Amino acid sequence: LGLNAKLTQRAIKELPGEVTLAFAPYGENLQPQVNKARAQGHEVFLQMPLEPIGYPASNPGPKTLLGDATEAENIDAMRWQMSRFSGYAGVVNYMGGRFLSMPKALRPMFGELKNRGLLFLEDGSLALSATEQAAKAANLQVKRAKVVIDADPSPQAISNALSMLEEEAKTNGFAVGTGSGLEVTIDTLIEWAREAN
């Protein structure tokens, strides 16, 4: 969220407070939006752009953390991203197929998150990553989403993904899924939340 003001405001206002909202570092007037989200009961995360496979043809944006950058360059980029707004409980990746497969690149990032008392959520879009291995070395709390609920951005597919998460939550006590700030995702989540209550 944070890039499309109209959709961001809808998500903040209409989604239940139990839905965590992640904000991209590139939006305008992020802090007031984050403050509003938190006032509505939403936990907030920073969406951190990480190097995808195929970079730079596939480019998440300025100050993306890169697998072959120096530790100092990545920490500098990370601190810029983290300075865009305050009040987040953790960080979730945006893209990152290459970066998240590189323990050497992950370790300094995870050390910085650990020092700041933040957690890391992997968004569930990757089949394989080095996240757990690197997090263990940094003693950082990480979670991995089970599914990207709008990988197929149709209402039926999103509803099916949410049903799968409900079943997992009944079995394991919790379930984590992620989704984009798309209108169809927000609409489907609003409807699902109404029925869940």
Side-chain angles (χ1 to χ4, degrees):
L1 298 174
L3 299 174
N4 179 314
K6 183 180 171 194
L7 289 177
T8 298
Q9 291 312 309
R10 267 199 78 211
I12 291 169
K13 186 177 174 188
E14 297 183 43
L15 289 173
E18 294 83 3
V19 175
T20 298
L21 303 178
F23 287 79
Y26 305 129
E28 297 294 322
N29 301 311
L30 289 170
Q31 195 63 59
Q33 294 174 80
V34 168
N35 292 347
K36 194 170 184 182
R38 294 183 71 209
Q40 293 289 323
H42 298 283
E43 188 169 54
V44 171
F45 273 54
L46 166 65
Q47 192 178 41
M48 188 165 284
L50 305 175
E51 181 181 359
I53 293 167
Y55 180 88
S58 178
N59 190 338
K63 303 279 188 182
T64 293
L65 275 64
L66 303 173
D68 293 326
T70 66
E71 181 176 328
E73 288 168 333
N74 276 339
I75 294 295
D76 180 63
M78 186 177 177
R79 288 179 179 167
W80 178 85
Q81 292 176 26
M82 295 172 80
S83 74
R84 300 289 291 142
F85 61 90
S86 63
Y88 45 89
V91 166
V92 60
N93 63 292
Y94 174 59
M95 301 178 89
R98 182 166 189 267
F99 192 89
L100 290 173
S101 70
M102 302 175 73
K104 185 178 179 208
L106 281 169
R107 279 193 288 272
M109 175 185 148
F110 284 179
E112 184 79 6
L113 294 178
K114 173 71 176 171
N115 290 341
R116 292 172 181 256
L118 298 169
L119 58 90
F120 182 75
L121 172 66
E122 188 179 318
D123 71 0
S125 64
L126 309 171
L128 295 170
S129 77
T131 300
E132 288 185 19
Q133 172 193 349
K136 228 176 251 182
N139 196 25
L140 176 72
Q141 185 180 355
V142 299
K143 290 281 182 215
R144 186 171 200 276
K146 178 80 171 175
V147 66
V148 178
I149 63 169
D150 54 2
D152 172 352
S154 70
Q156 187 58 55
I158 295 168
S159 294
N160 291 346
L162 290 168
S163 294
M164 185 195 78
L165 287 171
E166 284 182 44
E167 290 307 311
E168 184 181 336
K170 287 175 188 169
T171 303
N172 300 326
F174 74 97
V176 180
T178 63
S180 304
L182 302 172
E183 190 164 14
V184 65
T185 307
I186 294 168
D187 289 344
T188 308
L189 271 171
I190 289 167
E191 189 60 36
W192 171 76
R194 277 195 201 111
E195 291 174 8
N197 286 335

